[in-house]
Amino acid sequence: EAGVVQSPRYKIIEKKQPVAFWCNPISGHNTLYWYRQNLGQGPELLIRYENEEAVDDSQLPKDRFSAERLKGVDSTLKIQPAELGDSAVYLCASSISRGSYNEQFFGPGTRLTVL
Amino acid sequence: GQNIDQPTEMTATEGAIVQINCTYQTSGFNGLFWYQQHAGEAPTFLSYNVLDGLEEKGRFSSFLSRSKGYSYLLLKELQMKDSASYLCAVTGGGNKLTFGTGTQLKVEL
């Protein structure tokens, strides 16, 4: 079974440029998450989807970040315009219920560098 | 809100046992997770505790005390490949995880 797929793996852009990240979750996983992980820190949730509905986007900086999951499968996270402080690894995860808990499976991430 | 504390770094010797502690303060609690993350890779699930006590899974065990807001991850028979960051994460429900900053474990010969 394929894991969570993300692309690109690496992206270098100049500040003020737009950038987009793509994620395809594990087949059958209805819940999809976007996290941002700064160096030496744990992942921080940006947005969570249940199917195509964004159920938690309280940590998403909505002035420059947007996300969509139109058909409830793959998802795109966009930053426009990018700032120097956006340099981080952007992780996508999907989850499946294990009865008493939901196990999240993470993709390899996209490492963004903003110059 | 959630507040999670764990040591930044630890060093241990191959073949030894190491305990990584995690303390948390939460407004709601529905379980605690441990994830392993090798440098440049995705976090991978290690364990889940929701009730007090010890959960053992091979060389790894995880303990939880809800009254103390405390958990630890115990790694036995350390191997060089265990060098990684170990992330403690708490859920207050609703599939939302709040992660600690991670403990960078270095296993030496």
Side-chain angles (χ1 to χ4, degrees):
Chain A
E1 179 181 305
V4 176
V5 178
Q6 290 188 248
S7 68
R9 291 295 312 277
Y10 304 90
K11 189 73 176 179
I12 302 174
I13 60 171
E14 295 194 345
K15 62 181 181 181
K16 302 184 181 179
Q17 294 302 306
V19 65
F21 314 125
W22 178 79
C23 171
N24 196 29
I26 294 173
S27 177
H29 286 197
N30 295 329
T31 309
L32 182 147
Y33 314 75
W34 281 104
Y35 289 89
R36 177 170 57 191
Q37 186 173 25
N38 292 307
L39 189 64
Q41 302 293 314
E44 296 176 309
L45 181 70
L46 292 173
I47 189 168
R48 174 168 62 92
Y49 283 92
E50 295 289 346
N51 298 303
E52 66 276 8
E53 182 182 358
V55 296
D56 184 355
D57 63 356
S58 57
Q59 302 300 312
L60 190 73
K62 298 181 183 64
D63 57 337
R64 297 183 301 107
F65 286 63
S66 64
E68 59 183 20
R69 193 186 185 199
L70 295 177
K71 297 182 179 179
V73 181
D74 60 336
S75 175
T76 303
L77 177 69
K78 297 178 182 178
I79 309 175
Q80 183 171 9
E83 296 179 351
L84 294 176
D86 296 332
S87 294
V89 175
Y90 290 82
L91 294 164
C92 179
S94 65
S95 68
I96 188 170
S97 175
R98 296 298 191 193
S100 58
Y101 66 94
N102 288 288
E103 180 178 344
Q104 294 191 23
F105 295 82
F106 287 81
T110 296
R111 182 175 296 276
L112 174 67
T113 301
V114 182
L115 302 176
Chain B
Q2 320 272 38
N3 187 41
I4 300 170
D5 288 311
Q6 49 181 134
T8 304
E9 296 178 340
M10 297 183 72
T11 301
T13 305
E14 187 180 35
I17 298 172
V18 70
Q19 178 175 312
I20 303 174
N21 295 324
C22 172
T23 58
Y24 63 90
Q25 296 168 331
T26 64
S27 55
F29 180 80
N30 199 36
L32 186 143
F33 293 79
W34 284 96
Y35 277 79
Q36 180 191 59
Q37 187 176 27
H38 285 99
E41 298 183 11
T44 55
F45 171 84
L46 290 178
S47 67
Y48 170 77
N49 295 69
V50 68
L51 299 176
D52 290 353
L54 189 68
E55 295 279 345
E56 296 185 78
K57 190 186 296 184
R59 294 189 300 114
F60 291 13
S61 303
S62 56
F63 171 84
L64 176 67
S65 169
R66 289 172 297 171
S67 62
K68 295 181 180 178
Y70 168 69
S71 172
Y72 67 72
L73 180 69
L74 194 71
L75 291 75
K76 303 176 185 176
E77 302 170 13
L78 280 173
Q79 302 175 9
M80 298 299 290
K81 68 178 182 179
D82 296 330
S83 293
S85 179
Y86 290 87
L87 298 160
C88 174
V90 173
T91 179
N95 295 340
K96 181 173 181 176
L97 282 183
T98 301
F99 284 86
T101 57
T103 298
Q104 189 65 44
L105 174 66
K106 183 179 180 181
V107 180
E108 299 179 329
L109 291 172

